[in-house]
Every structure is written in C-alpha cells, then in structure tokens.
C-alpha cells in the first residue's frame, strides 16, 4: 500500500476489516515493525479523535510520531501555484516536500472550502500533497472523504454482526446542525458500505441534500426518514450541507433530529455517530446515552483502523 486516499486503494475490503479486527485482539503483536520509523501527522484543520487515535496506533506499532498543527505551529502556507508570495511565508510544495523527508509515512488532514464545488470535488489540495510527498500518504480527511473514519465504522458494524455473517440494514440519516458541514464522512461511509454485499444500505435526507451519485450509487435513497428507519439494524446520524446548492444550509427543520420515538421504528438498531456531536440538535440525549448507542465503540475502533493502514504501509516499505 503506497497511499491510502480512499477505499479504492484497498484490494479487498472484507479482508482488510478482518485483519483490523484480528489486530484489535492483539494490538502489540507488530510492535517491532515500527522500530526506527516515524509517522508525521499534519493537520490543516482541528482534530480530536483522528489525532489521538493515529498517535495511539503508531505507538502500538512501535513508531515515533511528530504532529504539526499548520495554523498554530507553522508559517502561513500558500496553496496556489504561481502566486507572488508577498503575504504568505511558505508554499505547500516546499512544506510538504520537506516534511515528508522527516518521516516514513505522512498522514494529512485537510478540509473543503464549501464554496467552490468543482475545486473540492477535484481534491486539488490533497492531490498536490500526494504529488509533493516523497513518502506514502494517508488521508486523515480530505475535501470529500474520510476513509479512516469509514474503516472504523464498518469495523464497528462487523463487531455487532459477527463479521457480516447475516444481512443487515444500515441507514445513514441526515440530521440537523447549526453549521455548514462537509460531505466527507457521509461520502466515505457510503463508498465503503457499498463494497459490502451483506449490507442493505439506505440514505435518508431532506430534498436537495442528496450526495454526489459517485458516492451514493447503490444506496436506496429516500426523503422520508420515518420510512427509512423501519426494520433498520444500524442508524448512522450525520449532518452535511447541500451538494446541489453547494455548502448551503437549506433545511433547518429540527424534526430530522434522531429521537427515541424514531428509534422504536427500527429493529432495535444500534446508534452510530462519528463524533463530535451536538446533543439535542443532532440526536437526543436519551438516544446517545442509551444501551444501543455504540459511538464509543466507533471511537475506539479509530485506533485499529489507523493501525492496520499504518501496518500495511510499513510492511510495504520493508
């Protein structure tokens, strides 16, 4: 594995999930692999779970890490090529090229601008990073995707379905939010779930909130949340801004919040969310704190999702 940008960089999703779950049982079995290796973690936007879980994953493999918060710890980075740099101190090309010389794997988190759809869709910034880096690159979130989160998500579903031995219904439900949020988690989750034949996948969202078809292709899409919840085994709540009217908040209807009454329509479904979550905006406390909430299991699986990717990259370097 020379890069990990999306699920398309994975040969067999089922095998990867199985390997990750085995690694979870014995997380220190490969501690020797990371001897004298360094993983660099670069953040162009804030992080809690991604940052800490990646550091823990690297530790489990015996790796050193360094962490750079670009907006706090670095010169101001110029992203555009050909710019006359009167107001920025360092170009992305020089920064990434140098940073990649200080590590064996470079993991990077970027963010969409949510104003120029074509620019975000083309992953301009992340593709530049892939081009400038001298070492393998891991996507810790980009303008359109969040594959480490999604690997942890499908691992969590596998945890509660005996590794997909039986079919299950998974619903990705849009939920309200006060801010305009990216599509990366929803896009990536849809992309990963579509690779798993044992999952019947439904996306429910308000009108004008459909995801890009290249990510949601294969899902049953409905604008009726109550219909979507019927007989569901997993409810994954997530907000995203409009893709059609890019980056805009078009629906402010609190009726889309996940509630106890809605969960009663399901097949005693497990509740999932990537966190952080705004309580009593996205989901009621009664759901988030219930016995069927598995958000903390998701968060813990972030360690092993990152660890299996780092492991496979380190093995490819040897």
């Amino acid at each position: 594995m020379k890069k990990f940008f999306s699920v398309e960089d994975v040969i067999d999703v089922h095998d990867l999930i199985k390997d990750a779950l085995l690694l979870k049982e014995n997380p220190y079995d490969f501690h020797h692999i990371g001897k004298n290796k360094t993983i660099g973690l670069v953040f162009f936007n804030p992080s809690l779970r991604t940052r800490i879980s990646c550091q823990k994953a690297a530790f489990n493999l015996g790796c050193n890490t360094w962490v750079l918060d670009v907006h706090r710890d670095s010169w101001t980075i110029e992203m555009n090529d050909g710019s006359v740099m009167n107001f920025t101190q360092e170009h992305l090309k020089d920064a990434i090229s140098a940073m990649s010389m200080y590590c064996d794997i470079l993991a990077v988190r970027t963010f969409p601008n949510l104003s120029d759809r074509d620019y975000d869709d083309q992953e301009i910034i992340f593709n530049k990073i892939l081009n400038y880096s001298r070492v393998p690159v891991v996507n810790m979130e980009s303008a359109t995707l969040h594959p480490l989160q999604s690997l942890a998500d499908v691992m969590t579903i596998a945890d509660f379905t005996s590794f997909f031995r039986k079919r299950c219904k998974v619903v990705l439900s849009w939920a309200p939010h006060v801010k305009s949020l990216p599509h990366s988690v929803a896009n990536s989750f849809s992309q990963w779930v579509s690779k798993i034949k044992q999952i019947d996948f439904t996306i429910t969202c308000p009108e004008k909130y459909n995801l890009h078809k290249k990510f949601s292709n294969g899902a049953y899409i409905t604008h009726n949340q109550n219909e979507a919840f019927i007989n569901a085994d997993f409810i994954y709540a997530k907000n995203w801004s409009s893709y059609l009217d890019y980056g805009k908040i078009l629906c402010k209807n609190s009726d889309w919040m996940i509630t106890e009454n809605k969960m009663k329509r399901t097949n005693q479904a497990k509740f999932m969310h990537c966190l952080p979550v705004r309580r009593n905006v996205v989901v009621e406390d009664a759901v988030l704190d219930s016995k069927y909430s598995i958000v903390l299991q998701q968060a813990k699986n972030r360690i092993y999702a990152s660890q299996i990717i780092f492991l496979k990259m380190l093995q490819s370097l040897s």
Side-chain angles (χ1 to χ4, degrees):
M1 185 176 285
K2 300 298 183 183
K3 69 179 175 71
F4 180 69
F5 175 73
S6 76
V7 71
E8 302 303 330
D9 295 308
V10 176
I11 296 173
D12 188 302
V13 171
H14 285 80
D15 284 348
L16 183 66
I17 296 169
K18 190 179 296 184
D19 289 345
L21 291 174
L22 287 172
L23 185 68
K24 180 180 177 179
E25 293 179 6
N26 299 285
Y28 304 112
D29 277 2
F30 296 93
H31 194 266
H32 62 284
I33 293 291
K35 184 178 180 181
N36 298 328
K37 300 295 184 182
T38 300
I39 297 177
L41 307 175
V42 183
F43 293 90
F44 286 87
N45 63 299
S47 172
L48 190 154
R49 276 149 294 276
T50 299
R51 175 173 175 164
I52 298 172
S53 62
C54 283
Q55 286 180 291
K56 173 61 173 168
F59 171 80
N60 289 352
L61 294 170
C63 291
N64 297 307
T65 61
W66 54 255
V67 180
L68 182 77
D69 180 333
V70 170
H71 299 297
R72 187 185 65 186
D73 304 326
S74 173
W75 302 112
T76 304
I77 304 294
E78 175 60 55
M79 300 294 192
N80 297 316
D81 296 333
S83 297
V84 178
M85 292 173 53
N86 287 326
F87 304 103
T88 49
Q89 288 88 1
E90 184 157 18
H91 196 278
L92 182 70
K93 180 176 184 178
D94 304 315
I96 294 297
S97 296
M99 285 189 283
S100 68
M101 298 178 72
Y102 305 146
C103 58
D104 300 279
I105 294 172
L106 186 67
V108 183
R109 180 173 182 144
T110 63
F111 212 64
N113 58 42
L114 289 181
S115 59
D116 185 334
R117 185 170 68 182
D118 290 340
Y119 186 87
D120 286 343
D121 278 354
Q122 293 173 42
E123 292 282 2
I124 300 294
I125 297 301
F126 214 94
N127 281 321
K128 287 182 179 182
I129 291 168
L130 289 171
N131 185 46
Y132 299 152
S133 177
R134 315 290 180 90
V135 297
V137 176
V138 173
N139 181 359
M140 295 193 296
E141 189 175 12
S142 67
T144 65
L145 294 170
H146 197 344
L148 289 178
Q149 176 67 58
S150 301
L151 176 52
D153 294 338
V154 293
M155 283 178 62
T156 306
I157 294 171
D159 272 335
F160 287 91
T161 53
S162 302
F163 195 62
F164 306 116
R165 289 199 187 109
K166 61 178 182 179
R167 296 195 68 80
C168 64
K169 179 180 177 181
V170 175
V171 176
L172 173 63
S173 178
W174 185 92
H177 202 282
V178 297
K179 292 178 63 179
S180 183
L181 295 185
H183 307 88
S184 52
V185 170
N187 284 343
S188 200
F189 183 72
S190 302
Q191 197 179 46
W192 282 74
V193 168
S194 68
K195 301 287 186 180
I196 300 169
K197 296 178 181 178
Q198 297 92 327
I199 290 179
D200 297 320
F201 185 43
T202 294
I203 300 174
T204 184
C205 59
E207 293 186 8
K208 297 185 179 180
Y209 274 87
N210 287 7
L211 299 171
H212 192 300
K213 289 181 180 179
K214 70 179 179 181
F215 301 116
S216 62
N217 188 35
Y220 172 67
I221 300 170
T222 176
H223 304 301
N224 186 327
Q225 190 186 43
N226 288 330
E227 172 204 336
F229 276 42
I230 295 172
N231 294 324
D233 298 296
F234 295 87
I235 300 293
Y236 195 137
K238 186 69 183 80
N239 174 269
W240 58 89
S241 55
S242 173
Y243 181 75
L244 182 67
D245 195 353
Y246 192 63
K248 300 296 191 297
I249 298 176
L250 304 179
C251 177
K252 298 181 180 179
N253 190 345
S254 63
D255 289 347
W256 279 82
M257 180 173 65
I258 312 301
T259 65
E260 267 195 307
N261 282 335
K262 290 178 184 177
M263 294 297 288
K264 290 176 182 176
R265 294 176 171 271
T266 70
N267 182 29
Q268 299 182 319
K270 304 296 185 184
F271 175 78
M272 302 177 69
H273 191 281
C274 60
L275 301 180
V277 63
R278 293 190 183 231
R279 287 172 173 263
N280 304 307
V281 175
V282 173
V283 56
E284 283 183 340
D285 281 341
V287 175
L288 193 60
D289 296 328
S290 70
K291 64 182 180 181
Y292 47 83
S293 173
I294 56 173
V295 297
L296 291 180
Q297 289 90 329
Q298 273 179 277
K300 185 173 183 179
N301 280 336
R302 292 295 307 277
I303 300 169
Y304 311 107
S306 302
Q307 189 175 344
I308 194 64
I309 297 303
F310 291 159
L311 174 60
K312 289 188 178 296
M313 281 194 165
L314 290 169
Q315 289 172 329
S316 71
L317 294 174
S318 60

